[in-house]
């Protein structure tokens, strides 16, 4: 049995993603930015998807290129089918194909159920869930068409779906967000089941509280941070690097036999911390 982990050509420095091309959605800030930088540091060529002002994404591209990497920023609203297809075309024109998709773009529009507008429900489902479907579909089409390139990876492609602890923890006041993440969980598992025959691996990362702009109000003062820590047995709020390291592993052949799995990167938030002393 051949159990080699495809890392690099003989003699080259050991970079687990050397020669691979990655697309990270929502890469201009937060977890997406951290993942894009980490994939580049691991040797991948990275396309950073963003919406709105391009300054932050271009800044990250600049940093990657300055340290000898290869990167490109591409604007697209991931919930827009034509924009997603145009983004993949731009990536293929620039780099030829795709080996890794990190479905990360996501947002919150919080409201109690009695206050929640249909527009806010739809926007969250459109970006967080339909956006993952549209990008996964384009990536899967290319992986299936192209197949395995043995010198690059043991898989024909890897898809990493960034979900949330709220794919299993209900979250009052966030029905649209929790529903979108529960959907991401089953989208991920179903694609893993469907695409394994093509040697495509699909996995999820479900982060807990990670210090990013999306939850700034939950850790921006010492009082708020200590309230948040009541929910985190490990005793610290997460950093984007915590998630980025998991993404590099799931994207690399080091996780070659892992598909359909979710890594909860949450400092124990899903361990029902109230039961440490209660129950
Ligand atoms: C949310 C954050 C929240 C965290 C833990 C994430 O999915 O986007 O706002 O802090 O879950 O509750």
């Amino acid at each position: 049995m051949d159990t080699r982990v495809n890392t690099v050509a003989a003699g080259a420095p050991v970079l687990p993603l050397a020669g691979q091309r990655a697309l990270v959605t929502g890469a201009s800030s937060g977890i997406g930015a951290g993942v894009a930088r980490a994939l580049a540091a691991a040797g991948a060529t990275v396309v950073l998807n963003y919406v709105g002002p391009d300054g932050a994404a271009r800044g990250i591209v600049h940093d990657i290129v300055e340290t000898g990497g290869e990167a490109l920023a591409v604007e697209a609203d991931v919930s827009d089918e034509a924009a997603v297809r145009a983004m993949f075309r731009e990536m293929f024109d620039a780099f030829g194909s795709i080996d890794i998709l990190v479905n990360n773009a996501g947002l919150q529009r919080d409201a109690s159920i009695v206050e929640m507008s249909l527009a806010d429900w739809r926007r969250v489902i459109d970006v967080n869930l339909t956006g993952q479907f549209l990008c996964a579909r384009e990536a899967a089409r290319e992986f299936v068409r192209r197949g395995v390139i043995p010198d690059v990876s043991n898989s024909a492609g890897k898809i990493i779906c960034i979900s949330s602890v709220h794919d299993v923890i209900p979250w009052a006041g966030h029905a649209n967000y929790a529903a979108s993440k529960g959907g991401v969980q089953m989208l991920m598992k179903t694609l893993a089941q469907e695409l394994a025959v093509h040697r495509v691996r699909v996995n999820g990362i479900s982060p807990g509280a990670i210090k990013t702009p999306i939850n700034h109000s939950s850790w921006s003062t010492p009082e708020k941070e200590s309230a948040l820590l009541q929910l985190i047995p490990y005793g610290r709020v997460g950093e984007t690097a915590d998630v980025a390291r998991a993404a590099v592993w799931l994207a690399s052949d080091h996780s070659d036999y892992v598909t359909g799995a979710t890594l909860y990167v949450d400092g124990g938030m899903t361990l029902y911390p109230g039961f440490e002393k209660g129950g």
Side-chain angles (χ1 to χ4, degrees):
M1 185 176 53
D2 186 353
T3 54
R4 275 175 309 177
V5 167
N6 201 338
T7 46
V8 279
V14 180
L15 288 176
L17 303 181
Q20 303 204 40
R21 296 144 293 187
L23 168 62
V24 182
T25 66
S28 57
S29 72
I31 289 172
V35 168
R37 288 182 190 277
L39 296 183
T45 294
V46 181
V47 173
L48 293 97
N49 156 260
Y50 67 96
V51 273
D54 64 358
R58 289 193 195 286
I60 300 167
V61 168
H62 176 264
D63 292 348
I64 291 172
V65 170
E66 209 164 50
T67 50
E70 204 170 10
L72 175 70
V74 179
E75 180 169 25
D77 175 345
V78 294
S79 70
D80 177 334
E81 183 176 26
V84 167
R85 297 188 78 167
M87 170 170 70
F88 275 80
R89 270 198 304 277
E90 193 172 339
M91 177 171 187
F92 297 163
D93 286 347
F95 303 121
S97 189
I98 182 169
D99 305 287
I100 301 158
L101 167 66
V102 182
N103 255 337
N104 167 76
L107 47 78
Q108 290 180 216
R109 294 273 187 281
D110 308 331
S112 71
I113 190 64
V114 293
E115 300 280 330
M116 189 174 286
S117 67
L118 180 58
D120 281 351
W121 170 269
R122 283 198 171 131
R123 187 68 190 137
V124 170
I125 299 291
D126 281 355
V127 172
N128 296 12
L129 181 56
T130 307
Q132 292 217 13
F133 154 68
L134 289 171
C135 293
R137 187 182 63 176
E138 293 312 305
R141 285 174 172 162
E142 174 66 2
F143 296 154
V144 169
R145 182 198 66 75
R146 196 206 57 213
V148 176
I149 307 172
D151 284 345
V152 170
S153 173
N154 295 336
S155 306
K158 281 82 53 162
I159 299 174
I160 299 168
C161 298
I162 305 295
S163 179
S164 163
V165 290
H166 299 296
D167 58 15
V168 290
I169 303 178
W171 202 14
H174 307 75
N176 47 3
Y177 185 81
S180 74
K181 295 302 188 178
V184 165
Q185 175 78 283
M186 281 310 283
L187 174 68
M188 180 280 289
K189 287 189 183 210
T190 300
L191 298 187
Q193 189 192 62
E194 187 171 329
L195 294 171
V197 67
H198 298 285
R199 299 206 40 120
V200 173
R201 296 191 296 111
V202 187
N203 290 290
I205 299 175
S206 291
I210 308 295
K211 284 191 176 173
T212 70
I214 207 172
N215 60 2
H216 183 253
S217 62
S218 314
W219 49 266
S220 52
T221 66
E223 297 71 35
K224 286 176 173 174
E225 185 161 347
S226 87
L228 183 57
L229 288 174
Q230 298 299 307
L231 300 172
I232 309 173
Y234 201 59
R236 70 172 172 86
V237 181
E239 303 289 340
T240 56
D242 292 310
V243 179
R245 281 190 291 268
V248 169
W249 182 73
L250 284 174
S252 79
D253 282 354
H254 291 293
S255 59
D256 190 45
Y257 206 48
V258 179
T259 193
T262 298
L263 274 179
Y264 285 88
V265 180
D266 68 349
M269 197 174 233
T270 42
L271 296 175
Y272 298 96
F275 278 80
E276 190 189 343
K277 299 196 176 65

